Amino acid sequence: MTLRERFEKLEPRERRLLTIMLAMLGAVVLLAGPIFAYSSVSSLRDENEQIRYLVQQTYGARATVSERKAKRDAILARYAKPAPQLAGFIEEAAKSNGIQVPESQDKPDVPHGKRYTEKLTVVKMHKIGLTSLVKTLEKIEQSGHPVAISRLSIRPRAGEPDSYEVELGVSAFERKPDAKETAAKDKGDAKADEGEEEKAP
């Protein structure tokens, strides 16, 4: 017996129910494809958004790391130059601007953590004009050495225009190399010594 024959033997009410059920099943099958496709596309879109976000975060982190490394390299380059003897350094900067430094005093070293040490020298200068003082301060700050003006006291002299008593403190900072830097330096020195030995007659 074929399906058609079976269908024709059913009561009208049963035929109607079966027709409705088949129509609903057909509708479900027709709608299931687009719904599944939309769900898949939506899921892929979410995954792409997450991947895009992670890529942006990675690029952002890379830029931050590069910026930090550049800052660290700049600091290491600055500290690669040994700090000058402060009394002579200040006197040279002052003399280049026509200022005499009659008094200077070295203060005790101050440790800053385990890696840095601050050396401070205080000088006194008499009858100084502001222009010469500013040029001297600028020369000290732009020297390229790890130094900073840490104390400055300016008092005008009574009855004398553009004449001041100045007390100036300049700090120099020394950085102790860490274990990795010491090892790298020792390795470089050893290679240099080997090269010299090979060149020796």
Side-chain angles (χ1 to χ4, degrees):
M1 183 180 292
T2 64
L3 288 173
R4 183 179 181 81
E5 291 172 349
R6 288 182 181 178
F7 183 74
E8 287 176 353
K9 283 187 175 183
L10 294 173
E11 295 292 329
R13 183 171 174 274
E14 291 174 342
R15 288 181 192 173
R16 193 180 311 114
L17 288 172
L18 184 59
T19 304
I20 291 170
M21 286 178 62
L22 289 173
M24 289 177 63
L25 183 62
V28 168
V29 169
L30 284 173
L31 291 174
I35 289 172
F36 177 76
Y38 177 79
S39 176
S40 299
V41 169
S42 179
S43 176
L44 288 172
R45 189 182 297 120
D46 290 342
E47 287 180 12
N48 286 341
E49 285 295 327
Q50 289 179 357
I51 291 169
R52 190 177 293 114
Y53 174 75
L54 290 173
V55 168
Q56 288 174 350
Q57 291 290 102
T58 302
Y59 279 118
R62 185 180 296 171
T64 303
V65 168
S66 298
E67 187 179 337
R68 287 181 182 171
K69 186 178 183 301
K71 285 181 180 177
R72 183 177 184 276
D73 291 345
I75 289 170
L76 291 178
R78 190 176 185 198
Y79 283 98
K81 286 177 156 183
Q85 293 295 321
L86 286 177
F89 172 71
I90 298 168
E91 188 173 355
E92 182 183 338
K95 277 185 178 177
S96 67
N97 292 291
I99 299 175
Q100 296 298 319
V101 182
E103 302 175 48
S104 68
Q105 181 183 11
D106 293 329
K107 300 291 184 180
D109 293 355
V110 179
H112 291 276
K114 296 179 180 178
R115 304 282 297 280
Y116 295 90
T117 304
E118 179 185 358
K119 298 178 179 295
L120 173 64
T121 297
V122 178
V123 299
K124 292 184 179 178
M125 299 176 281
H126 311 293
K127 299 182 179 180
I128 305 303
L130 275 184
T131 303
S132 299
L133 176 62
V134 169
K135 287 182 179 178
T136 302
L137 298 179
E138 186 178 30
K139 188 173 179 66
I140 291 170
E141 284 288 345
Q142 296 179 354
S143 66
H145 293 289
V147 296
I149 295 163
S150 52
R151 184 185 301 181
L152 182 61
S153 171
I154 304 174
R155 289 182 294 113
R157 293 174 60 87
E160 297 181 32
D162 194 30
S163 182
Y164 301 88
E165 295 291 312
V166 177
E167 183 176 288
L168 172 66
V170 177
S171 294
F173 297 90
E174 291 183 351
R175 179 181 181 274
K176 297 177 185 175
D178 58 20
K180 288 181 182 177
E181 291 169 359
T182 304
K185 185 180 178 186
D186 292 344
K187 193 174 181 182
D189 292 345
K191 283 185 179 179
D193 291 342
E194 285 174 9
E196 288 177 4
E197 286 174 5
E198 288 175 1
K199 289 178 184 177

